[in-house]
Amino acid sequence: MMTEDRYTAILEALKEKKSMTVAEFTEITGASESTIRRDLIALDDMGKIKRFHGGAKAIEHEYITNEAPVSAKAQLNVEEKSAIAKYAATMINDEDFIFIDAGTSTELMIDYIGETNATFVTNGIAHAKRLLKKNLRTYMIGGLVKPITEAIIGAEAVNSMKKFNFTKCFLGTNGIHMDYGFTTVDVEEAMVKMEAVNRSYASIVLADSSKFDKVTAVTFAAIEKACIITDRLVNDKYIDATVVKEVLR
């Protein structure tokens, strides 16, 4: 078996069994133990697996380094996002003072908000427009505009939030992980999300199932700091970590 074929066999086997010994790898590949050990060292160096004495285990998260434009993200998992957004809108009470984060799921949520006396604060340009079209009382924070997400971010945005105390915040996320919490790819965007969590009585993250077990550059909240609304969980371990609502299960 060629080297690349062994790599593929090792990775496919770990997807199923999660953790295996050198002896088990030799059985499925037909390679010697010394060859398998070299393969495991190479795959560990590439960040594909986690090697331990006598074997290897699968890496339990995917690290994401880039971010798609908001126009592209809006086309992904539309049915799931719509169901999540519809449920999130039911959590709004008449006298709430709410922060709505920039993001495709949170933007969809606005379509389902009915007539209410709640007040809304947002850092999303498109979000502010949608809120105004529904004649909802709306504030927009000031700061740096991030073109790829159409969000207001950075230190100035955080400063403009410091006078507010929210009953609830609704946030998007790029990744959710048991150890790394809720993450995003941008430091300045993370600052706004972090401030929203810190200034809210209740924090709710809207995330379809593709976001779980993924990690991006910056953690903006620990897993227990926010409730999650999702379509369905792939791994029930998150139920033990925080409050999770599955809207399509």
Side-chain angles (χ1 to χ4, degrees):
M1 187 181 286
M2 299 293 290
T3 301
E4 292 301 324
D5 294 330
R6 288 198 310 274
Y7 288 177
T8 299
I10 289 168
L11 294 173
E12 288 298 321
L14 283 176
K15 279 184 182 179
E16 182 178 343
K17 295 190 71 174
K18 303 303 181 186
S19 180
M20 294 175 64
T21 65
V22 170
E24 289 174 310
F25 289 126
T26 61
E27 185 176 342
I28 65 170
T29 62
S32 67
E33 289 194 1
S34 59
T35 297
I36 291 298
R37 289 192 182 94
R38 286 195 297 272
D39 289 345
L40 298 183
I41 290 171
L43 289 168
D44 184 88
D45 289 343
M46 287 186 278
K48 300 288 188 181
I49 63 170
K50 185 67 175 177
R51 191 167 56 95
F52 58 82
H53 182 69
K57 62 182 180 179
I59 291 178
E60 294 185 356
H61 69 267
E62 179 183 354
Y63 194 97
I64 308 297
T65 58
N66 59 349
E67 183 168 28
V70 67
S71 57
K73 290 197 288 186
Q75 306 303 314
L76 300 174
N77 306 310
V78 176
E79 180 184 349
E80 293 85 351
K81 288 179 180 178
S82 295
I84 292 164
K86 186 174 182 179
Y87 183 86
T90 67
M91 299 179 70
I92 295 173
N93 297 320
D94 207 37
E95 301 302 326
D96 271 332
F97 190 69
I98 288 173
F99 179 81
I100 298 183
D101 182 31
T104 53
S105 295
T106 51
E107 185 178 351
L108 275 174
M109 171 186 167
I110 297 169
D111 292 342
Y112 298 103
I113 299 174
E115 185 175 342
T116 179
N117 289 324
T119 299
F120 298 89
V121 180
T122 186
N123 68 324
I125 294 172
H127 299 55
K129 290 179 179 179
R130 287 198 183 200
L131 288 163
L132 289 172
K133 281 183 180 179
K134 302 197 81 168
N135 295 315
L136 297 171
R137 183 175 175 84
T138 304
Y139 290 87
M140 190 165 188
I141 63 174
L144 176 69
V145 180
K146 182 180 178 181
I148 195 169
T149 58
E150 300 178 4
I152 310 298
I153 60 172
E156 187 60 37
V158 171
N159 286 336
S160 69
M161 295 170 68
K162 290 190 179 298
K163 57 181 169 290
F164 298 130
N165 298 298
F166 305 111
T167 54
K168 302 181 182 83
C169 67
F170 293 90
L171 307 172
T173 189
N174 294 86
I176 303 174
H177 189 272
M178 288 288 291
D179 299 325
Y180 297 94
F182 302 99
T183 59
T184 186
V185 299
D186 187 287
V187 173
E188 293 188 294
E189 200 157 2
M191 291 167 59
V192 174
K193 295 175 187 286
M194 192 180 301
E195 188 69 14
V197 171
N198 290 340
R199 307 200 71 81
S200 297
Y201 179 76
S203 300
I204 303 102
V205 171
L206 282 58
D208 65 78
S209 53
S210 71
K211 302 294 180 67
F212 288 86
D213 294 331
K214 289 185 169 63
V215 177
T216 59
V218 190
T219 296
F220 64 85
I223 192 73
E224 70 273 9
K225 290 293 186 180
C227 306
I228 303 170
I229 305 175
T230 189
D231 47 314
R232 57 178 62 84
L233 282 174
V234 176
N235 193 325
D236 288 340
K237 65 185 178 182
Y238 289 95
I239 294 173
D240 297 326
T242 190
V243 177
V244 181
K245 173 63 180 179
E246 299 171 87
V247 296
L248 292 180
R249 173 165 282 187

